[in-house]
Amino acid sequence: MENCQMFFPCSSTGKSVYPVMTTTDYIANSSDHVFSHGDQSSSSGGFLGLKQNSGPNTDIVKNDSINGAFHGSESEEKSSKMKGEKKIKKPRFAFQTRSQVDILDDGYRWRKYGQKAVKDNKFPRSYYRCTHEGCNVKKQVQRLTNDEGIVVTTYEGMHNHRIEKPTDNFEHILNQLQIYTPF
DNA sequence: CGACTTTGACCCGCGC
DNA sequence: GCGCGGGTCAAAGTCG
């Protein structure tokens, strides 16, 4: 796979990359925050619908599962060698995009470190880690079975560095994401 | 040659 | 305890 670098902003390539809201519950089961968009407004540029003045269709869903209500597969610092240490749970943020490609170029550099088949999903889930030194951010990318046009991206952790390859509006989006994080 | 992907193995938590 | 599923590791392969 090449370094596809054109998915953001949405309009440049004719690919429809914009958020949709479909199976929010699906995400809610596995993540803490869900960012999605209420409607497929055909316009471009508003990636998650996270425009500054969020209109009525702009839903930034913030799950209440934060702070202790993590279920099942919540993220934890299980660096496999931290025996006695406390598990640190990082908040995760999931959002859906309608895209023909799986890898959204958000401006950071990611290294794929795993791929797993997921139960009840014909598409595999891919695991990526930020390659920036000292940055532990991970993300998972998965395509929905019932709508293969939708890619669910789950971010885990926050970057401790600047975006490396700024795209038009993703940095702004990230800034907004930080607003909704507890730290 | 460095950066990255692929992929099977391994580990761990959870439900039964 | 066992099996399953999710997440990670790491060696090998690929690519520019």
Side-chain angles (χ1 to χ4, degrees):
Chain A
M1 180 188 316
E2 309 237 337
N3 189 15
C4 312
Q5 40 180 309
M6 66 292 188
F7 319 131
F8 290 5
C10 325
S11 57
S12 58
T13 61
K15 292 183 190 302
S16 301
V17 181
Y18 46 76
V20 297
M21 170 186 278
T22 50
T23 53
T24 307
D25 284 344
Y26 164 78
I27 305 179
N29 283 334
S30 63
S31 36
D32 308 320
H33 295 162
V34 176
F35 298 91
S36 54
H37 189 280
D39 200 353
Q40 300 183 8
S41 56
S42 55
S43 64
S44 58
F47 165 51
L48 298 174
L50 292 176
K51 293 170 185 171
Q52 290 195 335
N53 45 351
S54 329
N57 285 334
T58 301
D59 295 328
I60 301 175
V61 182
K62 182 180 180 183
N63 286 0
D64 287 335
S65 55
I66 191 91
N67 285 345
F70 297 81
H71 4 249
S73 62
E74 288 318 316
S75 61
E76 342 178 310
E77 266 310 318
K78 49 167 140 193
S79 42
S80 73
K81 306 212 163 58
M82 45 183 313
K83 299 188 179 170
E85 299 189 23
K86 234 179 183 177
K87 292 176 181 177
I88 302 171
K89 294 175 180 177
K90 293 179 189 172
R92 299 206 294 194
F93 310 89
F95 55 83
Q96 304 175 54
T97 52
R98 180 173 289 280
S99 172
Q100 294 167 350
V101 295
D102 292 338
I103 312 301
L104 303 176
D105 185 13
D106 49 16
Y108 292 100
R109 296 179 60 213
W110 300 95
R111 170 173 299 172
K112 188 174 185 174
Y113 66 91
Q115 176 174 298
K116 286 287 286 187
V118 184
K119 193 168 181 285
D120 298 329
N121 194 329
K122 62 182 177 183
F123 299 106
R125 176 183 297 156
S126 297
Y127 300 90
Y128 297 87
R129 213 192 303 266
C130 181
T131 62
H132 192 275
E133 191 176 359
C135 182
N136 264 0
V137 179
K138 300 172 192 170
K139 75 173 178 182
Q140 303 175 7
V141 178
Q142 182 174 11
R143 201 171 277 277
L144 294 185
T145 294
N146 53 359
D147 189 346
E148 4 191 308
I150 294 180
V151 176
V152 178
T153 304
T154 304
Y155 281 85
E156 180 177 325
M158 298 297 296
H159 295 279
N160 59 6
H161 57 97
R162 298 282 303 175
I163 202 164
E164 303 190 14
K165 234 181 9 178
T167 53
D168 282 359
N169 56 4
F170 199 82
E171 193 169 12
H172 171 236
I173 290 161
L174 289 179
N175 287 336
Q176 295 219 15
L177 286 179
Q178 293 175 24
I179 294 173
Y180 294 95
T181 39
F183 37 81

